[in-house]
Amino acid sequence: MTRWLTEAVPRGRVAAFRTLVYLFVAADLVVFTPWVRTRVDVPGDLYQPLLIGRLLPLPTPTPTVVAAIFWTLLALALLAATAARHDCSAGRSSRSTSSG
């Protein structure tokens, strides 16, 4: 099993998987869990943080915090998805240049 997990794979496959993960993050925010943004009007007194929220001093979700996190995650996921695709094509061109 260890050999299968550590076996070398082509860079293009890794870049394609990375792009797929970033696009899933964007789809998760917009398609699969859009209900999260509709719950921002719930009073902060009812907020019960998960374990990580109890360990770290995270702010109580307010409409401003939720909107900022949503748009930041969406923008960064889409930016990362396009950058991952760019890395894949850059890797191909640098290999063909160095071998020629």
Side-chain angles (χ1 to χ4, degrees):
M1 175 99 169
T2 304
R3 195 170 122 212
W4 179 80
L5 288 172
T6 59
E7 186 175 335
V9 294
R11 283 183 163 181
R13 190 179 303 169
V14 173
F17 183 69
R18 237 185 6 214
T19 302
L20 195 66
V21 169
Y22 293 137
L23 290 175
F24 175 78
V25 169
D28 183 50
L29 289 168
V30 177
V31 178
F32 303 124
T33 57
W35 57 268
V36 172
R37 289 181 295 140
T38 63
R39 306 295 194 276
V40 297
D41 295 332
V42 174
D45 300 340
L46 299 176
Y47 175 63
Q48 294 180 352
L50 299 173
L51 176 63
I52 190 139
R54 290 188 301 263
L55 295 175
L56 299 175
L58 299 175
T60 301
T62 63
T64 306
V65 170
V66 171
I69 291 172
F70 171 79
W71 288 110
T72 303
L73 275 175
L74 186 61
L76 289 176
L78 294 175
L79 180 67
T82 58
R85 195 171 317 142
H86 178 68
D87 287 345
C88 178
S89 62
R92 265 193 237 128
S93 63
S94 65
R95 268 188 261 149
S96 62
T97 308
S98 63
S99 63

